[in-house]
Amino acid sequence: MKVSHWVFAALIGIMSLVSCSENLSNKGDQLYSEGKFQEAVIEYDNVLKNKPKYVKALYNRGRAYEEMGDFSKAEKDFLAAYAQDTKNTQVLLSLSNIYQKQKNHNSALLYADAATQVPGAPAMAFFMKGRALHQIGSTEDAMKEYSLAIQIDKDFGQAYYYRGMLKIATDRKRSGCEDIRAAIKLDYPDAKPALEKYCK
């Protein structure tokens, strides 16, 4: 089961600008928001020529590369951003996500776990840790992380869905189907087919 693309809108929020590179970086952000990822990369390149350690531009260029399917370059930019700011949850979760996409679940777990240690960590950090644990077969630990994500964000439909599917897979069908129903109420798109398949 893959993490749905749309949920990562929660990860992509643009970080605040505090430098003289603001105008160029904003232009890259605008191009990114329009889906013009190659053009956005060019703008971020221009920013990074003068400020090679600028976390926002590194991170957003990495996001553009990720959208273009160039995971190697995305990973490189995320790691460069991480080297400058090891407590940035957006960077940590994007690293976790990129490693999940490459099926490197141990690395995905490493960065998601680091994100959960940041004070005020978002629900997505615990969800991503749960996904990595789920993938490596640590089902009970994964369940705990999904539950923590839900405690932080009661409207996290995807977390209900994955927790429900994990419960169903581990012979807790009734409770699992309750989670699937909760995911349906929260408009998570994969939940209704799962209910029809597993919860009749």
Side-chain angles (χ1 to χ4, degrees), residues 1-13:
M1 292 180 287
K2 297 180 180 178
V3 177
S4 295
H5 175 79
W6 69 271
V7 167
F8 282 92
L11 295 180
I12 302 169

Side-chain angles (χ1 to χ4, degrees), residues 161-177:
Y161 170 78
Y162 278 100
R163 188 177 71 173
M165 293 300 290
L166 187 52
K167 287 178 179 177
I168 290 167
T170 53
D171 298 320
R172 286 168 273 191
K173 183 176 179 179
R174 182 174 180 178
S175 180
C177 289

Side-chain angles (χ1 to χ4, degrees), residues 43 97 141 185 198:
E43 295 300 325
N97 183 43
D141 288 336
K185 289 180 181 178
Y198 299 109

Side-chain angles (χ1 to χ4, degrees), residues 30 56 59 82 89 94 110:
Q30 180 62 38
K56 180 185 186 297
Y59 174 75
Y82 172 72
T89 54
S94 288
L110 176 71

Side-chain angles (χ1 to χ4, degrees), residues 32-103:
Y32 179 96
S33 71
E34 294 171 1
K36 298 175 181 177
F37 304 119
Q38 184 63 62
E39 294 173 49
V41 164
I42 293 169
E43 295 300 325
Y44 294 132
D45 285 345
N46 289 334
V47 173
L48 291 163
K49 283 177 185 176
N50 296 319
K51 296 196 71 176
K53 296 181 179 181
Y54 186 22
V55 171
K56 180 185 186 297
L58 285 166
Y59 174 75
N60 285 345
R61 187 175 68 177
R63 288 290 301 132
Y65 279 132
E66 184 177 2
E67 292 291 344
M68 293 162 60
D70 194 334
F71 295 163
S72 178
K73 287 183 178 177
E75 178 187 355
K76 183 177 178 181
D77 275 349
F78 293 152
L79 286 170
Y82 172 72
Q84 302 305 313
D85 185 358
T86 60
K87 301 297 184 182
N88 188 309
T89 54
Q90 287 180 307
V91 172
L92 289 165
L93 292 177
S94 288
L95 278 165
S96 182
N97 183 43
I98 208 81
Y99 288 125
Q100 282 277 34
K101 288 181 176 181
Q102 297 176 84
K103 302 188 185 305

